[in-house]
Each structure stands twice: as C-alpha cells, then as structure tokens.
Amino acid sequence: MLWIKALHIVFVTSWFAGLFYLPRIFVNLAMETPGSTTERLLLMARKLYRFTTMLAVPAVVFGLILAWMQYSGPEGMKLPGWLHAKLLFVVLVLGYHHACGSLLKKFERGANRRGHVFYRYFNEVPVLLLLVIVILVVVKPF
C-alpha cells in the first residue's frame, strides 16, 4: 500500500505542477499580439496539456486504488466524510483540467475573449483546490 501511496503522491504533484504552469502560459498568450511568440506559446501549452492529462490518469487511478484498499470490506465501501469531500474536490480539479483544455482550444482558434487579468485569477484556482485537498487528507476534519 505504501508503494501505491507514493506513486499517487508523485503523480498528483506532477499533475498539479502542470496545472499551475498552464494558466501562466494563458496569461502570456492573452498579452501577446499574433506572431511567432504566439505559436511557440501555443506549442508549449499543447504539449503541457497533453502531458498533464497523462499524469492525471495514474494520479486518479492510484487514488482510487488506495481508497479501495483502505475502505473496502465484506459489506462494501465505507468512505469517511473527509474522503467524500476530497473526492468532490478531485472532481473539481478534473473540471478545472478540462476547462484548461477548452481554453487552449479557444486560443488555438484565435477565439479567446478574456484578458490576462482573468487568467491571473484563473491561475490561482488549483492552488486553492490543492490547499483544501491537503487539509482534508492531513487533518481529516470529519
């Protein structure tokens, strides 16, 4: 079980590193006028999004395996309240990840209508989500 937990932590950390950086690329894209820099930033964003998607899959899979190993029994799964809350926030992180993909497609089509200030605030969302998730896992408030 410790191996699964270690792998879960590594993949979650790597996934979040990508989620922290991708919106920073969006900030720069929103500030750019079309040109060669824009194409380079779009290439970086595409590659980073693809890579973070590949990291998200094992992060979620190892997390589900951990929950199954710890909380399944003969009468089925009995998840504590804090884990229900954590799973809700994981779903929100997956939604944020998907939103990043949608925003990237808008940048690729030249259809972005938001300014760099929006993306600066958007960039803070995964920090808040990670904060709540870590507090739930460590403190287990309920």
Side-chain angles (χ1 to χ4, degrees), residues 12 15-16 19 60 81-97 125-137 141-142:
V12 167
W15 177 29
F16 268 89
L19 290 179
V60 171
W82 68 267
L83 189 52
H84 282 277
K86 178 194 174 189
L87 291 173
L88 170 68
F89 281 94
V90 169
V91 169
L92 292 175
V93 173
L94 289 167
Y96 182 86
H97 185 100
V125 172
V127 175
L128 298 173
L129 292 171
L130 182 61
L131 177 68
V132 172
I133 290 169
V134 169
I135 288 170
L136 286 168
V137 171
F142 45 88

Side-chain angles (χ1 to χ4, degrees), residues 1 4 60-80 83 87:
M1 185 162 117
I4 302 295
V60 171
V61 168
F62 286 129
L64 292 173
I65 291 170
L66 277 173
W68 178 78
M69 289 172 73
Q70 285 186 298
Y71 299 107
S72 68
E75 60 279 341
M77 295 285 284
K78 290 192 175 182
L79 302 179
L83 189 52
L87 291 173

Side-chain angles (χ1 to χ4, degrees), residues 13-77:
T13 304
S14 302
W15 177 29
F16 268 89
L19 290 179
F20 292 155
Y21 189 61
L22 186 58
R24 289 299 309 160
I25 296 174
F26 294 163
V27 169
N28 292 316
L29 279 168
M31 294 172 62
E32 285 291 316
T33 55
S36 63
T37 308
T38 303
E39 289 306 314
R40 171 72 65 185
L41 288 170
L42 281 172
L43 177 65
M44 289 171 58
R46 272 192 296 274
K47 287 183 175 186
L48 182 58
Y49 182 72
R50 220 173 301 133
F51 187 63
T52 56
T53 300
M54 289 188 305
L55 294 167
V57 172
V60 171
V61 168
F62 286 129
L64 292 173
I65 291 170
L66 277 173
W68 178 78
M69 289 172 73
Q70 285 186 298
Y71 299 107
S72 68
E75 60 279 341
M77 295 285 284

